[in-house]
Amino acid sequence: MSASISSSSGFTRHTRSDKTRAAILTAAAPIFSTNGLAGARTEAIASAAHVNKALLYYYFKSKDDLHRAVIEEHLSEFSRRADEVLHAPGSVRKTLLAFIGMHFDYLSGIPYYPRLFHRLLVSGGPGLERIARKHLLPVGRQLVQQIERGIESGELRRVDPVQTVISLFGLTVHYFSAASFIRLMSNADPYDRKRLAKRKKEILDFVRFGLFIHPEEPLE
Amino acid sequence: MSASISSSSGFTRHTRSDKTRAAILTAAAPIFSTNGLAGARTEAIASAAHVNKALLYYYFKSKDDLHRAVIEEHLSEFSRRADEVLHAPGSVRKTLLAFIGMHFDYLSGIPYYPRLFHRLLVSGGPGLERIARKHLLPVGRQLVQQIERGIESGELRRVDPVQTVISLFGLTVHYFSAASFIRLMSNADPYDRKRLAKRKKEILDFVRFGLFIHPEEPLE
DNA sequence: GTATATAAACTAACCATTTAGTTAATTCTT
DNA sequence: AAGAATTAACTAAATGGTTAGTTTATATAC
C-alpha cells in the first residue's frame, strides 16, 4: 500500500494512487447515498469509478470501510469550512448568518450529501459515532458558544442554545432532504439557482425573526 | 387472498387475517427503518412478527411491496391526524401551532419513523411517489392555504408559504432525525419526557417569533 | 371446504470478497 | 545509462456465503 505523501512545505504531491482513491470515493458517494450501505453494489461503484472491483479492496478494507471513508471525507470538508466561518471575527449576528449561508451553499453543491449525512445521524454504529464526534461535535460546540455569547450581549432571545443549533441545522438540511417532495409540491427544480436563492433568503429571514431581538437591523 | 372487510357502517371488523397482516407491518417497520430496504432480512421480519417467512408472501407480493405498505401505513395515519387538525375551526395561529404540536407528538411516539420517512423523501421511485402524492401533498396544500390566510389577515409576516411549510417540517423532523447526534451532544436521552417537552416548546417559540407579527399574543 | 397458517427443504441468483497473476513505475547496481 | 530488482497499481476470474422467494406437505379454524 502506498503512502500518499503530503510534503510539509504546504502543498500535496498527488500520486496516481491518490487520484484513484479519490475517484473511488467520488464515485461511491452518490451510489451509497441513493441505495444505502446494503443496497449499494460494489460492482456499480467500481464501474462508476472506472476501476476494477478488486481495486476497491486494494484501497479499502471492506465495503463498510469505504462507506465510512466516504462519509468522513465529506464531513471533514464541512467541518473545515465551518471552522473558518465560526472563528472569524465579527458579531454573533454576522457569524451565525454566515454559518447558515455557508452550510446552505455547501449542501447546494452536493445533492446527494443530505442522504449520506442522514445515514450518519440515523444509523449510528461505533465507526460512524467516532466520525460524528470528531467532525460534528466541535462545530456544534462552537455554535452553542456563539449563541450563548449572543444571549449575553442581548442580540438574541433567551433561547436554549443546543435546541437552537438543532433548529438551525433542521431549517437548512430539510430543504435538501425533502428535495424530491418539494419538486412534487412546487413542480419545479429545487436546485434551480433562483429557488436556491429564495430558500436561502427565507431561512435567513426566519432565523433573524425567530432568534434576534432586533430582526430588522442591518448586518454589522 | 382474503379481503379484509371494512364494513360501511363505520367500524372495522378485525378478521384474523387483518391482525396477522398488522403484526407483520408492525414488526417490519423498525427493521426496515434500521437496515434499509436492501439491508432488512425477510427472515428477521418474519421471526419478529412470530410468523413463518412464507406468510409474508401470502400477504405481500414482495419485500418491496411490504416496504411500501409499511411506509404507507404510517403516512396515512399521519395524514389522517393532520386533516383533523387542519380542518378544525380556529385562527391560523391556533391551527398552525396545533399542527406542529400534533406532528411533534406523532414523531415522539415512533422513534423509527423519521428513518422510514426519510427514505420516502430520498429514494423516490414511482411506488413511493404515488404514496407521497396521495398522503403528503394534500397536507402540504392545506398548510399552504392556512399560511396564505394568515398573511392576508395580517397574522403572519409576508413569508413564502411553500418555503414556510418546508421550514415547519424541518424544525419538527430534524430533532428526531438527528436524535443520535443529540444524544452525543447533550449526553442525554432525546426521547426523555422533559427533553421532548423542552424541544416542543422551543420549536413553538421559534415559529411564533419567526412567523407571527405579534409573537407574544396569547393563543386564541 | 376455504382461508389461514406452519415447517422445512429447496433454488436460483446475487454479490462481497479473495486469489493469483499482470503491467507500470521507480529505484538500485554497476 | 542499461538493465536487474523491487514495489505499487491494477485485473480477470473464481469462491463461497447469503438470501429473496418457492414449493410441498400438513394442520387448524370458521
Side-chain angles (χ1 to χ4, degrees):
Chain A
M1 168 78 83
S2 80
S4 45
I5 299 146
S6 309
S7 82
S8 52
S9 54
F11 68 95
T12 306
R13 202 157 85 221
H14 288 284
T15 62
R16 178 153 64 114
S17 162
D18 283 334
K19 276 186 197 160
T20 308
R21 204 189 127 95
I24 292 171
L25 286 172
T26 304
I31 293 174
F32 277 127
S33 145
T34 14
N35 305 291
L37 171 55
R41 299 290 147 239
T42 54
E43 188 58 53
I45 294 172
S47 94
H50 304 290
V51 301
N52 189 278
K53 196 166 44 146
L55 253 198
L56 305 183
Y57 294 87
Y58 179 74
Y59 285 101
F60 304 94
K61 271 214 318 285
S62 62
K63 188 190 186 184
D64 211 87
D65 188 48
L66 171 57
H67 184 237
R68 244 194 310 280
V70 166
I71 292 177
E72 183 153 21
E73 173 91 347
H74 284 86
L75 223 54
S76 75
E77 171 62 15
F78 167 70
S79 129
R80 209 189 50 68
R81 296 193 194 191
D83 267 9
E84 229 168 69
V85 170
L86 292 172
H87 285 95
S91 65
V92 168
R93 180 191 200 80
K94 190 185 163 194
T95 304
L96 281 185
L97 297 181
F99 172 80
I100 293 167
M102 178 284 292
H103 191 189
F104 188 87
D105 292 340
Y106 183 56
L107 295 181
S108 307
I110 316 172
Y112 57 78
Y113 180 77
R115 312 177 202 183
L116 224 45
F117 183 74
H118 195 262
R119 272 203 183 90
L120 173 80
L121 293 180
V122 136
S123 42
L128 294 182
E129 187 181 319
R130 208 208 80 235
I131 294 175
R133 220 179 260 287
K134 183 168 165 195
H135 299 289
L136 236 38
L137 205 49
V139 175
R141 288 203 208 292
Q142 269 298 311
L143 281 167
V144 165
Q145 271 183 34
Q146 291 280 350
I147 292 166
E148 281 167 348
R149 190 155 75 88
I151 295 172
E152 277 165 37
S153 75
E155 285 184 78
L156 296 178
R157 280 197 299 118
R158 302 204 147 274
V159 294
D160 177 299
V162 172
Q163 296 296 330
T164 302
V165 170
I166 297 162
S167 298
L168 295 184
F169 273 83
L171 282 173
T172 307
V173 168
H174 195 70
Y175 178 78
F176 299 101
S177 303
S180 74
F181 179 65
I182 291 163
R183 191 171 288 118
L184 208 72
M185 223 176 124
S186 60
N187 253 326
D189 177 17
Y191 282 90
D192 164 88
R193 230 172 218 297
K194 281 187 187 161
R195 301 227 154 229
L196 285 171
K198 190 170 190 179
R199 175 63 188 168
K200 191 169 169 183
K201 183 183 175 310
E202 206 73 24
I203 294 173
L204 291 170
D205 283 351
F206 201 155
V207 170
R208 278 195 301 122
F209 283 93
L211 293 185
F212 290 91
I213 303 234
H214 302 295
E216 301 290 13
E217 265 175 22
L219 267 178
E220 282 304 66
Chain B
M1 166 80 85
S2 82
S4 45
I5 300 146
S6 308
S7 82
S8 52
S9 55
F11 67 97
T12 306
R13 203 156 87 222
H14 289 285
T15 63
R16 178 156 64 119
S17 161
D18 283 333
K19 277 186 198 161
T20 309
R21 203 188 127 94
I24 293 172
L25 286 172
T26 304
I31 292 174
F32 277 128
S33 145
T34 15
N35 304 292
L37 170 55
R41 299 290 147 239
T42 54
E43 189 55 56
I45 293 171
S47 94
H50 304 290
V51 302
N52 190 274
K53 187 169 69 140
L55 207 52
L56 302 184
Y57 294 89
Y58 181 73
Y59 284 103
F60 303 94
K61 271 213 318 287
S62 62
K63 187 190 184 184
D64 212 86
D65 188 47
L66 171 57
H67 183 237
R68 243 194 310 281
V70 166
I71 291 178
E72 183 152 21
E73 173 90 348
H74 283 86
L75 224 54
S76 75
E77 171 62 16
F78 167 70
S79 128
R80 209 190 49 69
R81 295 193 194 192
D83 267 9
E84 227 169 70
V85 171
L86 291 173
H87 285 95
S91 65
V92 169
R93 180 191 198 81
K94 191 184 164 195
T95 305
L96 281 185
L97 298 182
F99 172 80
I100 294 166
M102 179 283 294
H103 192 189
F104 188 88
D105 292 340
Y106 183 57
L107 295 181
S108 306
I110 317 172
Y112 56 78
Y113 180 76
R115 309 179 203 183
L116 226 46
F117 183 74
H118 195 263
R119 267 197 190 95
L120 172 78
L121 293 181
V122 138
S123 39
L128 294 182
E129 187 179 319
R130 208 208 79 236
I131 294 175
R133 219 178 260 287
K134 182 168 166 195
H135 298 290
L136 236 38
L137 205 50
V139 175
R141 289 203 208 289
Q142 269 297 312
L143 281 167
V144 165
Q145 271 184 33
Q146 290 281 349
I147 291 166
E148 281 168 348
R149 190 157 74 88
I151 294 172
E152 276 166 37
S153 77
E155 284 184 80
L156 296 177
R157 280 197 299 119
R158 300 205 148 274
V159 294
D160 177 299
V162 172
Q163 296 296 329
T164 302
V165 170
I166 297 162
S167 298
L168 296 184
F169 273 83
L171 282 173
T172 307
V173 168
H174 195 71
Y175 179 78
F176 299 101
S177 302
S180 74
F181 179 66
I182 291 162
R183 190 170 288 119
L184 208 71
M185 224 175 124
S186 60
N187 254 327
D189 177 17
Y191 282 90
D192 163 88
R193 229 172 218 298
K194 282 188 187 160
R195 300 226 153 228
L196 284 171
K198 190 170 188 178
R199 175 65 189 168
K200 191 170 168 182
K201 182 182 175 310
E202 207 73 24
I203 294 173
L204 291 171
D205 283 350
F206 201 154
V207 170
R208 278 196 301 121
F209 283 93
L211 294 186
F212 290 90
I213 304 238
H214 302 294
E216 301 290 11
E217 266 176 19
L219 265 178
E220 280 309 62

